[in-house]
Each structure stands twice: as structure tokens, then as C-alpha cells.
Amino acid sequence: MQLAMISAIGVGGATIIGVFLGFLFRKIPHELNDGVLGFAAGVMLAAAIFGLIIPSLEYGNVWVTCAGILVGAVCLNFADKLTPHLHRITGLDQEAHADRQSHLNKVMLFVMAIAIHNLPEGIAAGVGFGSEDIGNAITVALGIALQNIPEGMVIVSPLLLAGVPAKRVFFIACFTGVIEIIGTMLGYAAVTVASFILPAALAFAGGTMIYVVSDEMIPETHSHGYERLATYSMLAGFILMILMDYYIS
């Protein structure tokens, strides 16, 4: 329980670290952003496979795992229908002639989108610790934390461009990290109370993470002309997690 709480704070805190970096580098070059986000995509993909889906197969059976992955993706797809995609919202600066209220409306949708994505990511980290396989749990939590840093960075600029005061930007952005802490503890509690749901919960969490990588992160990194950099960065992140899984687990 104590380790899960520490990890929850670390996972949510990574978003806050990203927020601080976002204030330091308010106009992040697309090349740097795509490289970092591509690396994070590789880390998350490896974490989903090695830390969630493979353990799900070990604890349950292949049909439970497949069903859990699909349900996780479908649930996040349904959530996406209620909110806009990240790469559609980061273009607020392209709408300089729209009124401020329109900007603020889109910013609030943006924050909602990030929060919705952070909840299942937090649950994924919590489910990992609920399985009591500490090595895999750390792999998943680290993968999510690394992904949260660039995510926290990209929250800042749209909020500032919409005219939101800097202090309020900080608290709104940090709120998305708090959501992840809540999700982590929910995932841990659910698996601890009902261990029989562990295989399905692991697969569900893995499905949500793969969905985020494919639907959000890869399209974002391939939309500014730095596709090759993003691809090799993703491979680097994936390889790093393979090495960590081999030497730590």
C-alpha cells in the first residue's frame, strides 16, 4: 500500500514536473516536443505489453486478456467522443481572431480530455501494484510517469494563449496530475479487494494505454514534419524499457 501511494504521487507528480517545464519553455519547438513525446510513446507501449498484457496472460487466459484489451480501448474511445483530441486543441494559437470565450471553452475541453486519459493511466499503475509483481508495477509506473512529463508541458501553452492567468493555469494543469493519483489508488484498491478480476483489469489497463499511444501520441508526433525523429525516439523508448524489464524485473 505504501509503495503504491508513493508511486501514485510520483506518477501524478510527473505531470506537475511537466507543467513547470512548460512554464520555463512556453513555446516548445515542435521538433523537441515530437522527439520527447515519441520517446514517451515507446516507453508506454513497452510498459503496456511487458507490465500489463503479458502478466494478464500469466494470471488468466488468452480470451480474458483479449477481451480486456478490447474493452479498455472501446471505453477510452467512448470517452474520446465526449472530448476533443489533444492534437486538435494544441492549435489554439492558430485561431487568433476567435473571441476569448471560444478559446476558454476549448481549453476546458482540453483539460477534460487530459483528465479522462489520466484516469485510466493511473488505474493502470494501481492495478500493477495490486498484482504484487513489483518489478512489472515499477515498469508500468515509470512508463506512465515519463509520458506525463511532455503531457504536462503541452497543457501550459494553450491555457496561457486563451488568456487564463498564470496562477490559474498552474492549478488547472496540476489538477490533471491529481486525477492520476486518484486513478492509481482506485486501481490498487479494486484489485486488492477482488483479486479474481486481476487478469481482466491488467488487460483493460493495457488496452487503454495502447489506445492512447496509437490514437493520440503517434498522430501528434507525426503532424509537424519530424516523423523520422519521432519514430526513432519511440524505438529508443521501447528499447530502454526492454533493458529495464530484463535487468530490473
Side-chain angles (χ1 to χ4, degrees):
M1 176 66 178
Q2 185 177 6
L3 186 57
M5 176 63 76
I6 293 172
S7 297
I9 295 172
V11 167
T15 299
I16 299 174
I17 291 173
V19 172
F20 278 112
L21 291 175
F23 275 104
L24 289 176
F25 308 99
R26 298 192 181 194
K27 193 64 177 179
I28 304 169
H30 280 309
E31 184 175 8
L32 174 60
N33 183 72
D34 290 348
V36 173
L37 204 58
F39 180 85
V43 168
M44 276 193 72
L45 185 60
I49 295 171
F50 299 121
L52 295 170
I53 294 174
I54 291 178
S56 172
L57 287 168
E58 294 173 348
Y59 287 115
N61 63 69
V62 67
W63 293 109
V64 171
T65 299
C66 290
I69 292 171
L70 182 60
V71 171
V74 169
C75 285
L76 214 56
N77 182 44
F78 177 76
D80 267 350
K81 290 184 180 298
L82 302 178
T83 55
H85 288 251
L86 183 150
H87 57 270
R88 295 177 186 170
I89 298 302
T90 53
L92 272 176
D93 56 331
Q94 299 172 2
E95 302 176 2
H97 300 293
D99 59 42
R100 177 167 295 187
Q101 185 59 47
S102 174
H103 280 189
L104 288 176
N105 288 341
K106 291 188 177 185
V107 166
M108 294 315 298
L109 288 175
F110 174 47
V111 173
M112 187 185 300
I114 295 295
I116 286 176
H117 286 143
N118 280 356
L119 185 61
E121 288 173 10
I123 290 174
V127 166
F129 283 99
S131 70
E132 297 183 355
D133 189 335
I134 301 303
N136 280 334
I138 291 174
T139 298
V140 172
L142 180 60
I144 295 172
L146 287 175
Q147 183 265 335
N148 283 348
I149 293 175
E151 187 176 86
M153 292 170 68
V154 302
I155 292 175
V156 173
S157 181
L159 288 168
L160 292 174
L161 288 170
V164 179
K167 288 183 179 179
R168 185 166 295 182
V169 169
F170 177 77
F171 286 110
I172 291 174
C174 289
F175 171 75
T176 64
V178 173
I179 289 291
E180 201 137 22
I181 295 175
I182 295 171
T184 302
M185 300 316 298
L186 285 175
Y188 175 80
V191 174
T192 302
V193 171
S195 59
F196 66 89
I197 70 170
L198 178 60
L202 288 168
F204 178 92
T208 63
M209 289 178 68
I210 291 175
Y211 182 95
V212 169
V213 170
S214 176
D215 193 63
E216 295 288 344
M217 300 177 74
I218 292 177
E220 171 66 15
T221 61
H222 284 63
S223 59
H224 308 116
Y226 303 107
E227 294 87 351
R228 190 69 56 84
L229 171 65
T231 298
Y232 280 107
S233 295
M234 187 179 77
L235 289 171
F238 194 90
I239 291 170
L240 173 64
M241 295 304 283
I242 291 176
L243 294 173
M244 289 188 60
D245 184 71
Y246 181 80
Y247 286 108
I248 294 178
S249 299

